[in-house]
Amino acid sequence: MKISSVALALIASVSVDAFVPAHLAFQSHHPTNTVGFTPTALGVATSSTAAAQSLGLQNPPITLFGKGHGTYSGSESEAKALLGGKGANLAVMSSIGLSVPPGFTLTTECCDGYCNRWDAQLPEELWEEVVSSVKTIEDAMKCEFGSSTNPLLLSVRSGAAISMPGMMDTVLNLGMNDVVCEGLVKKSGNERFAWDSYRRFLEMFGNVVLEIPRSAFEEEIDDVKYEKGIYEDSDLSATDLQEVVERFKSVYAKNNLSFPQDVQDQLKLAIGAVFRGWMGDRAIKYREVENIRNLLGTAVNVQAMVFGNMGDSSGTGVCFTRDPNNGENTLFGEFLINAQGEDVVAGIRTPKPISELDDAMPDVYAEFKSNTDILEKHYGDMQDVEFTFQEGKLYMLQTRTGKRGGEAAVKIAVDLVEEGFVTKEEAVLKVLPEHLDQLLHPRFADVESKEYQSSVMASGLPASPGAAVGRLAFTNEKVVENKKDGIPSIMVRDETSPDDVEGMYDSEIAWR
């Protein structure tokens, strides 16, 4: 890779001290050390100061977001510490006019209270604020949580101040039960959509909230597909999905658990599960590996559901505003028609490249491209974006600073300076020490040469930079075992998941 003189100057200027944001460097987990942030600076409605005082918090426990809630005028860095990366970005996207479904954020202070002072319970004062905030979503969406005729469904997502991809799971379609499902059939006129939403919720709620192994649900749906002679989930009919729902309920019973039909109970359990996840083994391991310290916890984002699985005019996707591998200024992402968010990353179906969205739905693509340009200009950096389109209408669900490889980091930093988005000094901060380390990884001299091509025995998607030598290991546990025995490993998986984080860091390289 050729490096320009500007890039060399950027690399030479990198200082490790630049990569510890002062607003994130809390000294302890105690609320007296929280950042001094006024949520009303976001220009969105917030919960009462009285509730904060009653709960022993420095700031109101809940902040609302959604398109049309005013302009942002406060410090985005302070918002991130209190609302988490997702919550802060949702508030900002709302304030700059993007189509963000309405919702609310429970602050990182609430997570600290839940984990350290409230005995892993949601205090009554906080729950009253949650119920009141759900009412604002109902008013905005003109539907009712738990209604048998006009139901509102919610998503529950985590979001810490520093991005931790895959460490904290999401629950979609919360608010589904037997009665709501029937109401959704009548409201949407799409029986398959309703039953598909129900089966997805049963699996996510069972796995994320009640900790039932995901494989227990996957076995049941695979059995139904085998019996019907079907390969893709999307080929299951409404009748097939009703059978899947019943089988998923039986999974609860086999684990001596019952699925809660009360939607308020579902929401309370889901919020608690996200807070508990902050102290889960997977999240702790990721923070250790990435040297993430002194954060209060994760925020919880509760948001009105929009649906990518309502037919051929709906879909969902994820996209980087620039190529994270080489830094080229072109959209780099994937989408699926008639799908929900987890389908894109779960490997269940093969996504299409984002460029094909221009052919499939040109109006949606044009609006999406415009939105990504707005986000890059606002943040002055490459963004990693999640989106859904429901019956031809685009919704922006999330944005965050996009992770990138070493080669891409240098090119993006240089390009942002040349495009006038940032100064050279600001660009320096976007090239991290680990990016420079990646540039120094061993590589094959010429992967396009005939000699190299003739020697290839198998191919896959690299999950780590550079070339490596080691023994093939097909499970996370085998990599850990090999490391203890002093054996270098190359981890090979059908698909990588957050559960593989320990093996990915213990192996010489990961590959799928």
Side-chain angles (χ1 to χ4, degrees):
M1 179 187 70
K2 294 182 179 180
I3 301 178
S4 70
S5 59
V6 176
L8 288 171
L10 291 173
I11 294 173
S13 303
V14 172
S15 165
V16 174
D17 293 336
F19 308 121
V20 184
H23 65 281
L24 298 182
F26 296 109
Q27 298 301 308
S28 78
H29 273 35
H30 297 296
T32 53
N33 292 310
T34 57
V35 65
F37 165 68
T38 304
T40 51
L42 290 171
V44 295
T46 60
S47 55
S48 68
T49 302
Q53 293 174 345
S54 175
L55 293 164
L57 305 177
Q58 296 288 306
N59 300 280
I62 289 177
T63 296
L64 306 180
F65 59 79
K67 185 177 181 179
H69 282 296
T71 59
Y72 176 82
S73 59
S75 166
E76 291 181 24
S77 60
E78 291 183 351
K80 193 173 182 181
L82 187 66
L83 305 180
K86 282 188 176 70
N89 290 338
L90 285 165
V92 171
M93 285 199 298
S94 300
S95 72
I96 61 178
L98 302 189
S99 294
V100 177
F104 61 90
T105 300
L106 287 90
T107 69
T108 55
E109 280 190 300
C110 294
C111 181
D112 181 57
Y114 186 93
C115 294
N116 297 312
R117 301 191 309 279
W118 300 338
D119 298 322
Q121 300 291 324
L122 298 181
E124 188 60 33
E125 299 96 321
L126 180 57
W127 181 245
E128 290 174 0
E129 294 289 325
V130 170
V131 172
S132 176
S133 299
V134 170
K135 183 66 169 62
T136 67
I137 302 177
E138 292 177 331
D139 292 343
M141 298 297 289
K142 296 179 171 55
C143 47
E144 183 181 351
F145 189 48
S147 169
S148 61
T149 56
N150 187 27
L152 167 71
L153 300 185
L154 302 171
S155 65
V156 178
R157 292 180 169 91
S158 65
I162 296 176
S163 177
M164 294 189 286
M167 291 301 98
M168 317 283 278
D169 290 324
T170 293
V171 177
L172 302 178
N173 306 329
L174 189 139
M176 287 295 292
N177 58 27
D178 294 347
V179 173
V180 167
C181 185
E182 294 293 346
L184 198 60
V185 170
K186 296 175 183 177
K187 178 182 178 181
S188 67
N190 188 333
E191 187 178 17
R192 189 193 181 282
F193 154 71
W195 287 102
D196 184 46
S197 299
Y198 198 3
R199 68 94 180 172
R200 290 170 185 271
F201 175 59
L202 283 165
E203 178 175 353
M204 281 184 281
F205 189 87
N207 176 243
V208 176
V209 179
L210 301 181
E211 301 181 355
I212 300 173
R214 191 177 295 273
S215 58
F217 296 102
E218 291 173 348
E219 288 172 4
E220 294 294 341
I221 195 169
D222 285 346
D223 285 347
V224 172
K225 287 191 292 186
Y226 178 78
E227 292 166 8
K228 307 294 182 182
I230 291 171
Y231 180 73
E232 298 279 4
D233 291 0
S234 57
D235 292 330
L236 290 166
S237 68
T239 302
D240 297 333
L241 289 166
Q242 290 183 56
E243 182 178 344
V244 172
V245 164
E246 293 307 313
R247 293 199 184 197
F248 278 9
K249 288 179 183 177
S250 72
V251 171
Y252 284 75
K254 290 174 185 176
N255 285 272
N256 298 315
L257 296 167
S258 59
F259 170 71
Q261 293 283 334
D262 187 301
V263 297
Q264 301 290 343
D265 288 344
Q266 292 175 8
L267 181 56
K268 184 177 290 188
L269 288 167
I271 292 171
V274 174
F275 284 150
R276 286 198 309 276
W278 177 255
M279 298 306 296
D281 292 341
R282 200 172 67 180
I284 290 172
K285 178 65 178 178
Y286 187 89
R287 293 199 296 273
E288 288 176 352
V289 169
E290 294 292 328
N291 199 29
I292 298 172
R293 301 178 182 179
N294 301 321
L295 298 182
L296 283 174
T298 181
V300 179
N301 301 291
V302 179
Q303 189 173 23
M305 281 293 304
V306 289
F307 300 97
N309 60 331
M310 288 192 71
D312 292 340
S313 62
S314 304
T316 187
V318 295
C319 184
F320 291 91
T321 56
R322 302 183 187 227
D323 192 319
N325 300 306
N326 58 31
E328 290 295 326
N329 189 3
T330 182
L331 294 180
F332 181 91
E334 299 173 321
F335 77 100
L336 280 170
I337 295 292
N338 196 22
Q340 284 196 303
E342 76 276 11
D343 294 339
V344 179
V345 297
I348 298 170
R349 293 169 56 189
T350 303
K352 298 179 180 180
I354 194 69
S355 58
E356 292 187 17
L357 182 60
D358 192 14
D359 298 325
M361 303 197 70
D363 291 343
V364 170
Y365 180 84
E367 183 182 359
F368 178 71
K369 182 64 174 67
S370 174
N371 285 352
T372 59
D373 291 343
I374 292 170
L375 289 170
E376 274 209 352
K377 182 177 181 180
H378 180 85
Y379 286 103
D381 204 352
M382 177 184 83
Q383 295 295 293
D384 177 4
V385 180
E386 299 173 18
F387 65 97
T388 286
F389 47 99
Q390 176 180 314
E391 297 181 318
K393 179 174 175 56
L394 177 68
Y395 293 94
M396 304 296 284
L397 303 183
Q398 185 51 253
T399 189
R400 54 181 170 259
T401 300
K403 292 186 178 294
R404 64 209 72 177
E407 181 179 342
V410 174
K411 176 170 175 51
I412 289 171
V414 172
D415 288 350
L416 290 174
V417 172
E418 294 179 346
E419 293 165 21
F421 282 171
V422 299
T423 65
K424 186 184 297 186
E425 291 73 22
E426 291 170 332
V428 166
L429 303 181
K430 302 181 188 302
V431 182
L432 308 182
E434 54 263 36
H435 291 146
L436 305 185
D437 176 65
Q438 290 174 18
L439 290 174
L440 300 176
H441 276 246
R443 304 185 185 191
F444 291 106
D446 185 3
V447 296
E448 302 299 329
S449 69
K450 290 182 179 180
E451 181 182 5
Y452 175 87
Q453 294 287 345
S454 63
S455 301
V456 173
M457 297 178 62
S459 62
L461 298 175
S464 316
V469 175
R471 183 177 296 178
L472 294 183
F474 296 94
T475 66
N476 183 65
E477 293 75 18
K478 188 61 179 177
V479 173
V480 176
E481 178 186 326
N482 284 349
K483 183 175 183 180
K484 290 179 180 177
D485 295 335
I487 301 171
S489 299
I490 296 176
M491 186 166 79
V492 180
R493 302 284 279 148
D494 287 336
E495 60 185 62
T496 52
S497 76
D499 294 331
D500 297 325
V501 63
E502 188 172 13
M504 293 178 72
Y505 281 97
D506 285 347
S507 62
E508 301 298 304
I509 200 167
W511 185 42
R512 61 184 176 94

